[in-house]
């Protein structure tokens, strides 16, 4: 999957992201949802297509899951949700939403609740004017007294479920960088084959070769890291009790490292690439500008560098050294 | 001047660039133009305001001045220019243009010719849709049989005159990075004062302090390099025969180093800055996105990193080591 | 193997390198040597232990295999070798040497010849005083009329055989960086647990956490790249005709990328690490100084960054784009 | 002075540092010492030569001046000092030492006390085996009941006096990087003039030119930053009341930025340089290895990157933004 995702991202990273993002939600429903819930919503998706999305980020909390202010309250047989989500990808077109919320009664209790898109009280406040990844949509969403049956809550601590689920989207976002970087490489090769510099073709210039060698190396390393993260995740999904395994594992180091590394390495490819085309590379009329805008996404979303570095530092492996 | 330019760039780098760029042309006319030419065109500018610009870059030649294909031919008492200029800043609004061209008869003879904007045969082909610096305009220009009196050619080898003149614009472009970086710093401080992260204000976070300390250091170094380049240039202008001094010196190391360094350091500030604001920093609705776009200019225009590195390497100081 | 090698490098990279380096030579003999040659020399090694080494680099040629000046000449049933090898690891203690040489009669014919250490005419000119990796020995070697039976030449173009063989040593050198980086990480954690900074333990400092998160990410990425390179190589060795497969493949991208990436990422870990221990980290009395010295090796030997970037650029994958 | 210091560092950074470091102590004595004290000790130095040094760092406190554990106690007309200093440059050969200490009675009272080298109770515990800068000596020193007349204490808060004095040594350390970087540049040019790579001289190789252009730029920027820091400091010294001006100013931004910047830029030159010479650059037999070792000093001593970044962030300029 990681490979075909890189191919799609080669064409358009926003479209690739839109196409694959639902896997995050469907996996969460399949692993942590009641059987009947999964049957109904995943069945419909299988039969009729469509998207599902998760709504996590809030204006105040940023990337800190524990500070979610959206609440759910038990009212009779329903859960009623209230809150405001700041950035959510593709919400408008989704069939159902998975919403991170905390209990109105017990602030320490977190849950993830499945809410059909048509539920009363869901209001798309605005579509953000994003810098890049414009093949996907990013929305600000208001939830006012959205009621769903109580069994729409996934089983388990919401923070833990989200951490488990984010492994998939972190790896997907990381893999975006591979496709876009390959596109930058090919665009550079094509340009250099036709461009004269100092009396020779740019493609025969030693400095150009040095840059392309560096880019090619970075692409190889990004690819192997994403494949390793995907293999790690797939192994958990193939274990006897994938829900329990994922739940216990939480944020996986290879997925975190893939997200962080591809953010950095991809940005380095983008920086080299955007210097390749002279003044043309500074216009909106050249593809490189769009590629650079799309690539910036990888390092910024779902936890920028600081957040991910902190997650890696706080994971079990280092922690055991830390306590000793 | 460098200081007030940084202040203007703090507000808008494109506007700052537009406001100061004419100094490049006026200096060239003053130093290398006939007295009567200078009196006429600079006098009009002094009295009525307005801009002047230079037209150098061409589609095939890129930043290689020696490959200019625009020509001038002597016809009676006139010079007649023909050619196509690819990227030229603010041409549409200018009062007169300084055009780099080679002799139609002798390809090794280069000149810079003053052409009033209203001259017949100047056609603005398009205004480029630029990624940033949108407070200035960038144009593609066609010149067909533009005739001006022969004394409109500046005195001396055009390549040398251009190299001399570019010292001023390189320092100006470099100084753009100071103003924009200061704006990024202040925007970050303002944001951090109001933002909570992990139970404390972001401004009291050690990682934030570390980033801002690095940014503040880079700003100080950029400022001192630009001031040194400006002082170096001003010293030449204040010498007994500034035209001869500049002509002999050509591209000055401090100006080249300022342009290259501010491109790199400014881009590093932009990269740190754009990670500061979370998802908001990836929208076109937040100022940081505009600042990052503007800052990219410094490293890309009037010779990207490769070109300037090569110029520095090829200057006299290293060359004498090279020959020994 | 890559994993146990990283463990050994954790303790001492020079010793690890010495212990594993023979695999480069034994693989070459096994794949490209006559059956009787392999039986004799590998059999002895299996039974009695010992090392074997390759001698490639020369003072003039540097890392350019094609410029080898050491020659072999057919004299009766023998090959007679003459030349000077500049840097060769562990030669003094080796049982046999594999020597890169060109034909004295045909400068375009390259070969690799097995020469027992005891052969007359091998002179260890000096042991280099190396900056790091002092658990291995690096020698300058003179070869004067060293005669061996003609079947001691491996089959095939020597340049191609070397490129094939270097895949193994490139991956091993790369993996060194994993072990040393892990050691730097653990040393930092241990130090930070006991060190007070600004009224709190360093290990609870956010900037420290950020650095360790970055290091941990880099280790994960280096590990996955080396594992991918090793898997790639192992797959070729497990193919039906490994000699032909390797010969056809030559330098493999994952091994080149591993070598280059671990050189860069490892050096970044070393730079962060050496800043961790204050003044103590600048003394020869602290382990970090030795670790930093050892780590520098990865980026410098068997082709520095420029050479490897060029190899990656010149490989088939990019070349097909290049010709199109 | 900065210029001649760069010249000396070109030859040997350790010797340069040793030669100039006394200026730190003499300036402190001249500005903050009693007239008679200055007359006696500076007069002797002027007449007979010699060194003076400051002793600040301690094992526990590291670079945090406020955590100094060495104490001074008033006993009759004397001050009696006790404590252990961890790293102190050139102490063994000094004529007098300036020792940072806190009051035995009031832990918040800090002072700097002049102690002649011959005073009873000064014990050189060891000379550290330093990684580089071996032209200077670094010592661990024990102070046991060292008694000096009370007027040997400089006037004012010791922390503030030290901060003021460190401006001079920070700029000197920074300037070391200029000299060593220039040496690396020249060594590279010399090597490249004689080295063949791919059928041409290395000096005519475009990748080499690109690296040297970058190094030359960094040298220019380091030089201008050090000159700006020195000019800033000299201006304070030339003011009407230099002691009061310096005391009020404390750590100066240009000196902090010079120290931090030259540490980073110099290290980047060293990293490029050490890749230049192939395997030879990894031996202790080539000068580059010594230059790289010396250059590492700049980024590590008298406050590594983290400490200086924090100082810059905590200075007044940013702080006023911070409080608003």
């Amino acid at each position: 999957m990681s490979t075909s995702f890189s191919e799609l991202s080669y064409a358009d990273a926003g479209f690739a992201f839109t196409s694959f993002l639902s896997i995050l939600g469907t996996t969460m429903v399949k692993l942590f949802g009641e059987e009947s819930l999964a049957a109904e919503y995943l069945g419909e998706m299988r039969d009729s297509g469509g998207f599902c999305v998760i709504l996590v980020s809030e204006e105040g909390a940023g990337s800190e899951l524990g500070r979610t202010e959206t609440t759910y309250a038990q009212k009779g047989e329903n859960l009623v949700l209230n809150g405001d989500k700041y950035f959510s990808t593709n919400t408008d077109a989704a069939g159902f939403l998975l919403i991170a919320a905390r209990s109105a009664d017990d602030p320490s209790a977190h849950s993830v609740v499945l809410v059909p898109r048509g539920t009363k009280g869901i209001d798309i406040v605005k579509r953000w004017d994003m810098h890049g990844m414009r093949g996907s949509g990013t929305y600000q969403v208001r939830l006012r007294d959205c009621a769903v049956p109580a069994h729409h809550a996934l089983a388990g601590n919401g923070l833990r479920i989200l951490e488990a689920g984010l492994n998939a989207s972190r790896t997907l976002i990381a893999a975006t960088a591979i496709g876009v970087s390959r596109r930058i490489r090919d665009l550079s090769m094509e340009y250099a084959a036709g461009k004269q510099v100092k009396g020779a073709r740019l493609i025969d210039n030693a400095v150009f070769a040095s840059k392309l060698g560096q880019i090619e190396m970075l692409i190889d390393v990004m690819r192997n890291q994403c494949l390793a993260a995907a293999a790690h995740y797939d192994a958990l999904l193939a274990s006897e009790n994938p829900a329990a395994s994922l739940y216990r594992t939480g944020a996986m180091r290879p997925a975190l490292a893939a997200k962080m590394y591809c953010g950095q390495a991809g940005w380095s490819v983008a920086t080299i690439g955007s210097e390749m085309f002279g003044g043309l590379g500074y216009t909106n009329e050249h593809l490189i500008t769009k590629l650079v805008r799309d690539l910036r996404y990888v390092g910024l979303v779902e936890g920028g560098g600081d957040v991910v570095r902190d997650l890696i530092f706080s994971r079990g492996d280092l922690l055991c050294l830390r306590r000793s």
Side-chain angles (χ1 to χ4, degrees), chain A:
Chain A
M1 188 182 82
S2 183
T3 307
S4 55
F5 184 69
S6 156
E7 285 300 325
L8 273 186
S9 296
Y10 185 95
D12 185 72
F15 178 76
F17 195 53
T18 289
S19 309
F20 277 76
L21 187 57
S22 296
I23 202 167
L24 172 54
T26 56
T27 306
M28 286 166 74
V29 171
K30 192 172 165 200
L31 293 180
F32 302 107
E34 260 191 17
E35 209 165 315
S36 65
L37 190 77
E40 182 181 350
Y41 287 95
L42 302 186
E44 190 187 318
M45 212 175 188
R46 181 195 59 222
D47 298 339
S48 330
F51 299 106
C52 69
V53 301
I54 60 164
L55 279 75
V56 180
S57 96
E58 300 185 0
E59 186 170 5
S63 298
E64 288 181 76
L65 302 182
R67 286 173 56 206
T68 299
E69 286 173 11
T70 297
T71 58
Y72 64 90
Q74 183 96 28
K75 297 226 171 142
E77 302 200 330
N78 281 343
L79 294 177
V80 179
L81 287 91
N82 277 287
D84 294 271
K85 295 295 182 180
Y86 209 40
F87 293 109
S88 71
T89 307
N90 294 335
T91 300
D92 202 16
F96 63 88
L97 326 177
L98 292 168
I99 296 176
R102 67 164 76 219
S103 165
D105 303 318
D106 172 8
S108 72
H110 288 260
S111 196
V112 173
V113 184
L114 186 156
V115 179
R117 170 70 181 89
T119 305
K120 211 180 137 194
I122 299 178
D123 182 21
I124 304 283
V125 179
K126 70 185 280 189
R127 177 171 176 168
W128 290 93
D129 179 13
M130 301 304 284
H131 180 57
M133 294 291 276
R134 297 176 68 96
S136 66
T138 305
Y139 300 91
Q140 185 173 350
V141 180
R142 182 180 299 135
L143 307 163
R144 290 296 177 270
D145 297 325
C146 300
V148 294
H151 75 279
H152 276 217
L154 304 189
N157 181 326
L159 298 183
R160 202 75 192 166
I161 295 177
L162 281 171
E163 287 221 337
L166 287 172
N167 288 315
S169 60
R170 286 200 177 106
T171 306
L172 277 181
I173 292 173
T176 306
I178 306 171
V180 181
S181 294
R182 288 173 47 229
R183 185 72 177 271
I184 290 177
R185 176 199 64 196
D186 295 352
L187 204 60
S188 300
M189 292 296 286
E190 198 183 318
Y191 174 76
K195 174 80 183 171
Q196 292 285 318
V197 170
K198 299 180 106 183
R201 291 198 310 164
L202 178 57
I203 210 167
D204 297 321
N205 178 286
V207 174
F208 177 80
S210 167
K211 289 180 181 179
L212 266 283
Q214 177 76 14
I215 287 178
E216 188 72 357
M217 178 275 277
L218 293 172
I219 289 173
D220 202 68
V221 177
M222 287 194 274
R223 183 190 290 121
N224 285 317
Q225 181 64 24
C226 287
L227 288 172
H232 206 92
Y233 184 73
D234 288 350
L236 277 195
L237 284 194
S239 67
E240 206 172 330
N241 190 337
S245 301
L246 257 183
Y247 194 82
R248 195 174 48 241
T249 304
M252 292 157 53
R253 190 177 57 190
L256 288 166
K259 165 80 172 57
M260 200 201 305
Y261 179 67
C262 291
Q264 295 176 8
W267 191 233
S268 146
V269 171
T271 297
I272 299 172
S274 79
E275 287 173 4
M276 200 72 86
F277 305 93
L280 212 52
Y282 194 64
T283 69
N284 289 329
E285 306 184 20
H286 196 283
L287 180 58
I288 186 68
T289 308
K290 185 256 190 198
L291 297 174
V292 172
R293 285 191 286 108
D294 283 357
L295 204 33
R296 193 72 190 110
Y297 190 71
V298 182
L300 298 186
V301 297
E302 280 199 24
D306 293 334
V307 175
V308 180
R309 259 187 292 274
D310 203 62
L311 278 169
I312 289 194
F313 181 71
S314 311
R315 285 188 67 259
D317 339 357
L318 277 181
L319 217 58
C320 59
L321 287 168
R322 205 172 161 190
R323 278 172 185 150
S324 66

